[in-house]
Amino acid sequence: MKIDVVTLFPKMFESPFAESMMKRAIDKKILELNLHDMRQWAWNDYGAVDDKPFGGNVGMLIRADVIAKALDEIKSKSLKVLKFKSQKSKIILTSARGKRLTQKNVEKWAKLDNLVIVCGHYEGFDQRVADYMVDEEVSIGDFVLTGGEIPAMLIVDAVTRLLPGVLGKDESSKVESFSKQEVGGKIRRVVEYPQYTRPRKFLGHSVPEVLLSGDPKKIKEWQREQIKI
């Protein structure tokens, strides 16, 4: 899978993606991650990508023409690199005004060939970016951050861990919180059951006896009872 991130601060991504499963995915070429400095499409010689909003509001907005140039160039390169006539791709804008990010979104995006994430900053974007240039506007919660870089990192991490070969066992990505499970004869998204390891007793708190019973049927029944819908 190929993921392109358009950001004013590409160096913010270096450390998080140089560790753990993200590094493994990149090293194994399961993920191709490209970080694009938004300023390379600046509208003047000083590297500016923003401008004052019409109407006299406080703050600065990222210009629509800057994002249009960025997306045109990235999409053109993606078509050449991936060599698909009908490319499965999507462009996402990180924004406090977007729809809440869910595991359902992540599962859909993990099936794409190319995902482009545009990181917001300042007071946001010219509205024409959201209206005409992207496929989805996404928020990670009802709060405001200084920029869209951290939301973009969360999206990349959540998508990448679902790609075949990234986790130790593909099965480990299926039996977990927010995955689809059959509960009461219906398929639901659930929060997984609690798990324990040694020592059996710690600070006066013991592991549930059923997990020490060695009875698979009772253990499975207990796990089903602990699942939260």
Side-chain angles (χ1 to χ4, degrees):
M1 183 180 190
K2 182 172 178 283
I3 298 181
D4 293 279
V5 180
V6 182
T7 170
L8 283 167
F9 303 101
K11 289 186 178 180
M12 286 182 66
F13 293 81
E14 292 178 2
S15 178
F17 294 157
E19 304 287 345
S20 189
M21 287 184 287
M22 296 301 305
K23 183 177 187 300
R24 181 194 306 169
I26 294 170
D27 288 346
K28 293 173 69 173
K29 301 189 185 306
I30 297 171
L31 171 68
E32 178 186 337
L33 180 64
N34 299 309
L35 303 174
H36 305 275
D37 189 337
M38 194 184 297
R39 294 192 188 280
Q40 66 183 290
W41 295 287
W43 61 271
N44 66 14
D45 295 334
Y46 300 100
V49 298
D50 57 344
D51 216 330
K52 295 178 181 179
F54 290 116
N57 290 333
V58 176
M60 304 287 278
L61 295 175
I62 296 174
R63 289 174 45 143
D65 53 348
V66 170
I67 300 304
K69 289 178 184 178
L71 295 178
D72 283 347
E73 187 171 330
I74 290 169
K75 287 189 291 184
S76 175
K77 288 182 178 179
S78 293
L79 288 170
K80 294 176 182 177
V81 171
L82 294 171
K83 298 179 181 178
F84 286 118
K85 290 184 178 179
S86 56
Q87 182 190 11
K88 294 188 296 181
S89 64
K90 192 170 287 289
I91 301 172
I92 295 171
L93 184 69
T94 60
S95 165
R97 297 180 59 184
K99 293 182 179 180
R100 182 74 64 87
L101 177 66
T102 67
Q103 187 68 15
K104 185 177 180 180
N105 298 134
V106 172
E107 290 171 358
K108 289 192 301 182
W109 299 337
K111 297 175 183 178
L112 299 171
D113 300 317
N114 182 214
L115 182 65
V116 181
I117 306 172
V118 183
C119 300
H121 214 74
Y122 305 125
E123 287 297 308
F125 295 88
D126 182 305
Q127 185 59 33
R128 289 168 289 188
V129 174
D131 289 345
Y132 308 114
M133 300 182 194
V134 303
D135 299 300
E136 295 187 50
E137 200 171 354
V138 179
S139 167
I140 63 168
D142 296 336
F143 50 88
V144 180
L145 300 173
T146 55
E149 283 73 24
I150 291 176
M153 292 177 199
L154 295 178
I155 293 170
V156 174
D157 186 288
V159 168
T160 299
R161 67 188 304 278
L162 295 181
L163 301 178
V166 174
L167 300 180
K169 295 181 180 179
D170 285 347
E171 187 65 24
S172 64
S173 70
K174 297 176 184 177
V175 185
E176 61 180 2
S177 293
F178 308 115
S179 62
K180 292 180 180 179
Q181 303 287 329
E182 184 176 337
V183 181
K186 296 182 179 181
I187 301 298
R188 303 173 183 269
R189 290 189 181 274
V190 302
V191 177
E192 69 175 323
Y193 47 80
Q195 300 186 68
Y196 300 84
T197 186
R198 294 173 178 80
R200 291 189 179 189
K201 191 171 184 178
F202 182 67
L203 297 178
H205 303 287
S206 299
V207 174
E209 286 297 323
V210 65
L211 299 179
L212 307 175
S213 68
D215 188 328
K217 185 177 180 180
K218 288 183 178 180
I219 292 172
K220 285 291 184 183
E221 184 178 338
W222 179 87
Q223 290 172 340
R224 284 195 296 269
E225 291 173 351
Q226 301 302 311
I227 286 175
K228 294 181 180 180
I229 300 175

